Amino acid sequence: MRWSKTLHTTLRDEPQEAEIASHKLLIRAGYVRRVSGGLYTFTPFGVRVLRKVENIVREEMNRAGAHEILMPALQPIELWNISGRASQMGASMFSLKDRQNRTMVLGPTHEEVVTDYIAHEISSYRQLPCTVYQIQTKFRDEIRPRFGLMRAKEFIMKDAYSFDVSMEAADISYKAMYDAYVRIFERCGLDAKAVEADTGNIGGSHSHEFMVLAPSGEDGIINCSGCGYSANQERAERNTSGSEFSTKNGEPEDVPTPGARTVEEAAQAVGVSPEQIVKSLVYLADGKPVLAIVQGTREINECKLRRVLGCSILELADDETTVKHAGPVGSLGPAGVNLPIYADTGLKGARDVVTGANKEGFHTRHVSIEDSVTVKAWVDIATVVAGDNCPKCKEELSVQRGIEVGHVFKLGTKYSEVFDASFLSAERTSNVMVMGCYGIGVTRTMQAVIEQNFDENGIVWPASVSPYQVTLLELDAKKDENCRIVTENLEKELEENGIDVFVDDRDERPGVKFKDADLIGCTVRVVVGKRALEKGGVEVHIRKTGETRIIPLADVIPAIKKALAE
Ligand code: ATP
Ligand code: MG
């Protein structure tokens, strides 16, 4: 392909709309163009990278024995009523009416459609195990679409679903997908790591996320250097046995804390450190109020609380609801509150702490939680932070940022039961299939590759997903006929060798061509110019290492092949 025949354009200035490096580079180098918030057009260059990522995913899925299918993006709401997720998805699911006034949705995921399909297709244990997958567009009305392809309203996902005769068999299918994911991300040139994850509204018992480590990542990852424990902050646990509280306890006593709304303000008004304050919050779990309490300097982790409560929708109660069921906001405390109270395990043994007095403008000090509060359950509901202790080996934990590129779930029978996906066993009994589901954000992965592979001059594509493996700069073509001929021959020769090549044949200054080549970021750059030709060769430059050498024409192809294989 020649630049003069494409519509490719690069931008000199940083796009206003972009916040993180990969998003800026995608736009500046000309891979995507914004249509509106969370919606992008892929340019011919963008599509080339996307297809390469897709192909890696497809090859590894096929290698793992999964079968490619294609389901509709447009789905009848009835399927979502069967699974009970129509209400759970809430406003994040795009919904519309067809001309018969039937409600349809644009699929944010495909558990419902695929389970219904398999329920009709598979009837015998002989047809199991079975894993199917598709690479397709998904739609989610994200609260905050941002960071370009990272969190879009429309994006491409590879979603796979496994069906098995038993939990043990399902573990084997899960492992096969897990291993395929490791290979996929490695082939994309990504340093990804699997961490324990929350299952969210997909459901199921067990899941791992594949995280690409990057400071711009939206997810927190908790790591233990002692035993290798690694989990998403949404789910991570901590050891609380060492929590230190005062052993003394005076008589509970109300102290005025006028106007104090925050933990810091209350601590200051009472004259204690914020660690001694206990924070109380009313939540609605599927509409029912509960009270959650945690040490004042900690955050309540809503993912963990939701799992503990076993509810599908968890929301913080508004002020009115809080006042109605518990006490005044700002002076809310657990003592005497007639709601189920869930206390973070870190508060076990807490004495001499300060809680809201449930009386406007007052807090109570010298409180012992175990003596004064009727706790329904001691549960781990606080967000784990750096410096906490590992739940497995008690070593100190640290935090990193990550981009979630893939997610594998053990689903159990949540969907197969309601869609009656059952099979006849060898003993002629009817059993429900055990499922797993496995997603990769293909477009997010494409951008994550950039987030891990760029420098101050532009993108540094790994050879496996580079839009063209080689970019060929034709310099001095106007002055020197030989440059034109050598470029043409080299282009042909590269193509004959199965190497895709992009020729910058524009009538531009060399400086402009070099800058664009760096920005676009193809793995190898070859420069055909008068000076090198006089020395009998062309200049071969490796984008990643910066290594530049003049290579005799006869040796160019093997040299490029070698560079691409590294
Ligand atoms: P997140 O927590 O980032 O919203 P999720 O848990 O909702 O992700 P899944 O439902 O597991 O994601 O979807 C599978 C994969 O699809 C994710 O691992 C991610 O790579 C990708 N993905 C999810 N939402 C988006 C989005 N809005 N834009 C681009 N990719 C997405
Ligand atoms: Mg999401």
Side-chain angles (χ1 to χ4, degrees):
M1 179 53 70
R2 298 195 149 234
W3 196 318
S4 60
K5 296 202 170 63
T6 69
L7 45 89
H8 200 73
T9 49
T10 56
L11 309 178
R12 218 139 300 287
D13 298 322
E14 295 234 317
Q16 293 275 307
E17 68 194 76
E19 295 163 69
I20 61 172
S22 55
H23 185 196
K24 289 178 188 165
L25 288 169
L26 270 177
I27 294 173
R28 277 193 59 213
Y31 291 94
V32 299
R33 293 289 176 241
R34 182 175 181 271
V35 176
S36 80
L39 297 175
Y40 290 87
T41 292
F42 282 72
T43 67
F45 265 66
V47 168
R48 286 187 70 89
V49 178
L50 180 60
R51 294 287 174 255
K52 288 190 178 188
V53 176
E54 280 178 5
N55 282 342
I56 291 174
V57 172
R58 184 172 278 118
E59 278 174 24
E60 293 300 337
M61 283 294 116
N62 294 345
R63 177 134 78 114
H67 307 283
E68 185 165 5
I69 59 171
L70 188 57
M71 295 178 273
L74 192 62
Q75 310 173 2
I77 189 74
E78 285 75 18
L79 290 178
W80 292 79
N81 290 332
I82 293 174
S83 69
R85 280 207 295 180
S87 56
Q88 219 182 85
M89 300 303 287
S92 69
M93 188 153 72
F94 284 102
S95 124
L96 60 147
K97 299 268 188 192
D98 73 3
R99 63 174 72 215
Q100 263 102 31
N101 207 32
R102 284 184 297 229
T103 302
M104 313 290 284
V105 300
L106 293 174
T109 174
H110 277 73
E111 282 78 17
E112 282 75 4
V113 179
V114 80
T115 314
D116 186 51
Y117 161 60
I118 292 293
H120 288 94
E121 257 7 77
I122 292 185
S123 55
S124 160
Y125 72 96
R126 289 200 186 86
Q127 295 165 284
L128 296 169
C130 173
T131 299
V132 292
Y133 77 97
Q134 65 173 348
I135 297 176
Q136 198 225 26
T137 302
K138 299 278 189 273
F139 300 86
R140 294 184 184 180
D141 199 352
E142 296 281 357
I143 296 170
R144 265 192 84 190
R146 59 179 185 157
F147 299 158
L149 307 177
M150 293 289 189
R151 188 166 296 286
K153 283 185 170 157
E154 177 180 328
F155 60 96
I156 295 175
M157 196 202 284
K158 183 287 301 171
D159 44 327
Y161 307 88
S162 63
F163 298 84
D164 277 282
V165 295
S166 66
M167 288 290 180
E168 296 72 44
D171 285 347
I172 298 171
S173 301
Y174 184 86
K175 177 77 168 46
M177 283 295 116
Y178 184 106
D179 293 345
Y181 275 36
V182 171
R183 287 196 298 270
I184 287 167
F185 296 122
E186 206 175 275
R187 283 183 62 186
C188 288
L190 281 169
D191 178 15
K193 136 179 203 168
V195 309
E196 288 180 17
D198 181 58
T199 50
N201 60 18
I202 302 255
S205 59
H206 198 86
S207 85
H208 282 98
E209 280 165 350
F210 284 79
M211 292 286 185
V212 167
L213 300 179
S216 66
E218 289 186 289
D219 288 275
I221 305 166
I222 300 293
N223 293 307
C224 172
S225 58
C227 68
Y229 172 75
S230 193
N232 191 315
Q233 211 164 13
E234 286 176 351
R235 156 179 194 114
E237 295 166 7
R238 72 197 200 278
N239 183 290
T240 50
S241 62
S243 308
E244 302 248 327
F245 286 100
S246 166
T247 47
K248 291 198 292 275
N249 207 41
E251 275 304 300
E253 175 193 7
D254 287 354
V255 278
T257 51
R261 300 278 295 189
T262 65
V263 168
E264 285 70 29
E265 286 163 0
Q268 204 171 20
V270 182
V272 294
S273 74
E275 282 81 21
Q276 264 177 282
I277 303 279
V278 169
K279 192 155 70 176
S280 309
L281 291 168
V282 176
Y283 281 93
L284 294 174
D286 290 335
K288 292 198 198 75
V290 299
L291 188 80
I293 59 174
V294 68
Q295 196 173 10
T297 45
R298 291 199 168 264
E299 293 301 323
I300 290 181
N301 183 321
E302 295 185 2
C303 285
K304 283 163 76 172
L305 182 59
R306 187 178 50 187
R307 210 171 34 244
V308 160
L309 298 173
C311 64
S312 41
I313 299 174
L314 180 77
E315 359 166 50
L316 195 61
D318 58 20
D319 288 2
E320 201 183 320
T321 316
T322 300
V323 172
K324 184 168 148 213
H325 292 286
V329 180
S331 303
L332 184 63
V337 168
N338 192 20
L339 287 178
I341 297 177
Y342 293 85
D344 180 59
T345 39
L347 288 176
K348 213 140 200 204
R351 293 178 160 275
D352 201 30
V353 291
V354 175
T355 67
N358 281 335
K359 196 159 70 173
E360 184 69 54
F362 282 90
H363 278 71
T364 312
R365 69 175 163 197
H366 307 315
V367 174
S368 153
I369 297 290
E370 275 163 271
D371 294 344
S372 334
V373 182
T374 318
V375 172
K376 176 166 165 119
W378 292 93
V379 285
D380 176 9
I381 51 171
T383 300
V384 174
V385 295
D388 281 341
N389 295 328
C390 176
K392 302 215 163 133
C393 75
K394 301 193 183 173
E395 272 292 311
E396 205 169 280
L397 295 167
S398 62
V399 188
Q400 281 176 301
R401 306 302 304 170
I403 301 162
E404 177 200 326
V405 283
H407 202 165
V408 291
F409 295 83
K410 288 185 187 174
L411 279 178
T413 55
K414 172 173 170 175
Y415 297 92
S416 39
E417 256 163 40
V418 289
F419 283 97
D420 194 21
S422 50
F423 64 96
L424 269 188
S425 70
E427 295 76 37
R428 314 286 303 159
T429 56
S430 177
N431 297 339
V432 175
M433 293 177 219
V434 180
M435 287 177 62
C437 75
Y438 317 92
I440 288 182
V442 177
T443 38
R444 186 185 283 184
T445 298
M446 166 176 165
Q447 189 174 333
V449 173
I450 303 178
E451 199 60 36
Q452 260 188 359
N453 298 279
F454 71 92
D455 63 17
E456 66 279 10
N457 298 318
I459 302 171
V460 184
W461 288 113
S464 58
V465 295
S466 188
Y468 292 89
Q469 291 161 298
V470 174
T471 177
L472 194 53
L473 307 195
E474 181 189 60
L475 307 185
D476 312 319
K478 271 198 169 155
K479 288 180 260 165
D480 190 340
E481 174 70 2
N482 198 25
C483 284
R484 203 182 51 74
I485 294 168
V486 170
T487 305
E488 226 172 76
N489 290 342
L490 204 48
E491 180 188 12
K492 228 169 91 203
E493 222 182 319
L494 282 163
E495 277 167 356
E496 281 165 7
N497 277 276
I499 297 168
D500 44 28
V501 49
F502 182 66
V503 182
D504 188 351
D505 60 345
R506 291 173 302 168
D507 185 14
E508 283 284 1
R509 283 180 292 114
V512 172
K513 295 191 177 190
F514 280 110
K515 264 206 155 58
D516 276 337
D518 276 352
L519 179 61
I520 292 170
C522 295
T523 310
V524 174
R525 184 188 75 201
V526 178
V527 181
V528 182
K530 214 160 161 266
R531 231 179 319 146
L533 278 182
E534 278 164 9
K535 291 186 204 153
V538 293
E539 185 193 284
V540 175
H541 169 89
I542 314 300
R543 178 73 182 86
K544 184 170 180 171
T545 59
E547 184 195 336
T548 309
R549 280 191 301 156
I550 306 281
I551 308 244
L553 275 174
D555 303 334
V556 169
I557 301 287
I560 290 175
K561 279 190 175 161
K562 187 161 167 276
L564 291 173
E566 271 164 10

